[in-house]
Amino acid sequence: MTRRAVVKGVGHYLPDRVVPNAEFEASLDTTSEWIVSRSGIERRHFAAEGETTSDLATHAANAALADAGLTGDDIDAIVLATSTADMTFPSAATMVQANIGNTKGFAFDVQAVCAGFVFALTNANALIVSGQADRVLVIGAETFSRIMDWTDRSTCVLFGDGAGALVLESATGNGDTTDRGVLSTDLNSDGRFRDILYVDGGVATQSTGVLKMEGKEVFRHAVEKLAQTADTALDKIGLGADDVDWVVPHQANIRIIKSTAKKLGVGMDRVVVTVQDHGNTSAASIPLALSVGKANGQLKEGDLVVTEAIGGGLAWGAVVLRW
Ligand code: UT7
């Protein structure tokens, strides 16, 4: 008998304000056509003034709890992936903890930028498998609109705000790949590449800073590393592309998504794509896509799902789970 972390509920939240590409044409030397052709993004959501990452995360958490038929105090741990926490400290996770009325659990943030949700899910799985928690809320939430340089057309048109959440619950499996729940994980980082994607502020500068990215370089690493980490995660449990029902990738760029699917040998009819509607929401993109994928009937109980992501650090990884 093997302890497994099984998805019990999923939910998401997007701020009300939808910003179509055309809105950037007034202030920047860009076109909607360029943005769509280079990234696949058509629109994104931006948080309202005063709306914070923990607000978005709380909405998503409540939606996932409702989907699971649980309340805040049924949760043992909250793991929140974000690079845009409301404050330097305390963690956004503890703010969510208070907002959902949880007093018996513990909460912390995980920071691995766009790969954050894969890192958070891996940590949440470890908490359950090791017996330290029975129910874990795993959230990805971001307000990247707060760290944009609005004069930099090569970055500010790409990102959006949002949040997604999963409730994981312990269950007993057989120990083979027919089990529901998290089956395999693969995490990586390489700090030598810190300068190709970073925010030029923080505690050291006593300022929030803005996002800086060498897009072409990040693109090159993404195309190479995403298929590799997904393959490694599948290999660890003796599965291959033919076993995969759905790839749910980090949503940064449709060209990266397509190229990774091709390398993996998975057709685009088995890939959940939301980048056109959300833009790049960093750590929120995978749980958002999982929630949308379930809501529109793509993900069904028993499906084998592969998630993969890469972001600043560089940090990258993949999780294989049976929905
Ligand atoms: O989530 C974390 C991971 N992040 C990513 O995965 C992002 C990875 N990178 C990318 O998705 C792509 O590299 C971008 C979408 C950022 C850029 O696409 P690209 O095909 O690599 O374009 P580029 O950076 O090579 O730029 C091509 C041209 C440049 O002009 P020149 O130098 O050829 O004259 C840019 O200045 O496009 C220009 N450009 C724009 N033109 C119109 C850059 N941004 C814009 C823009 N509108 N918004």
mmCIF file of all heavy atoms in Angstrom, residues 38 78 184 233 264 302:
data_model
loop_
_atom_site.group_PDB
_atom_site.id
_atom_site.type_symbol
_atom_site.label_atom_id
_atom_site.label_comp_id
_atom_site.label_asym_id
_atom_site.label_seq_id
_atom_site.Cartn_x
_atom_site.Cartn_y
_atom_site.Cartn_z
ATOM 1 N N ARG A 38 4.099 36.120 -32.370
ATOM 2 C CA ARG A 38 5.322 35.735 -31.655
ATOM 3 C C ARG A 38 5.044 34.989 -30.358
ATOM 4 O O ARG A 38 5.924 34.284 -29.847
ATOM 5 C CB ARG A 38 6.205 36.957 -31.330
ATOM 6 C CG ARG A 38 6.607 37.833 -32.504
ATOM 7 C CD ARG A 38 7.023 37.039 -33.718
ATOM 8 N NE ARG A 38 8.250 36.278 -33.528
ATOM 9 C CZ ARG A 38 8.623 35.256 -34.288
ATOM 10 N NH1 ARG A 38 7.847 34.845 -35.271
ATOM 11 N NH2 ARG A 38 9.747 34.623 -34.054
ATOM 12 N N ILE A 78 -0.840 24.882 3.551
ATOM 13 C CA ILE A 78 -1.058 25.718 2.362
ATOM 14 C C ILE A 78 0.307 26.040 1.778
ATOM 15 O O ILE A 78 1.164 26.607 2.458
ATOM 16 C CB ILE A 78 -1.798 27.027 2.731
ATOM 17 C CG1 ILE A 78 -3.158 26.713 3.364
ATOM 18 C CG2 ILE A 78 -1.946 27.925 1.505
ATOM 19 C CD1 ILE A 78 -3.795 27.899 4.097
ATOM 20 N N SER A 184 5.080 11.063 -10.187
ATOM 21 C CA SER A 184 6.502 11.302 -10.422
ATOM 22 C C SER A 184 6.776 12.801 -10.495
ATOM 23 O O SER A 184 5.920 13.564 -10.957
ATOM 24 C CB SER A 184 6.901 10.640 -11.749
ATOM 25 O OG SER A 184 8.241 10.934 -12.070
ATOM 26 N N ALA A 233 10.644 12.816 -15.992
ATOM 27 C CA ALA A 233 9.600 12.478 -15.011
ATOM 28 C C ALA A 233 8.830 11.232 -15.448
ATOM 29 O O ALA A 233 8.497 10.375 -14.619
ATOM 30 C CB ALA A 233 8.664 13.665 -14.811
ATOM 31 N N LEU A 264 8.071 15.897 -27.329
ATOM 32 C CA LEU A 264 7.578 14.817 -26.461
ATOM 33 C C LEU A 264 6.868 13.729 -27.264
ATOM 34 O O LEU A 264 6.691 12.619 -26.779
ATOM 35 C CB LEU A 264 6.578 15.383 -25.436
ATOM 36 C CG LEU A 264 7.142 16.097 -24.219
ATOM 37 C CD1 LEU A 264 6.023 16.753 -23.424
ATOM 38 C CD2 LEU A 264 7.906 15.108 -23.336
ATOM 39 N N GLY A 302 -8.885 9.886 -13.805
ATOM 40 C CA GLY A 302 -8.139 8.747 -14.344
ATOM 41 C C GLY A 302 -7.178 9.117 -15.462
ATOM 42 O O GLY A 302 -6.319 8.310 -15.830
#
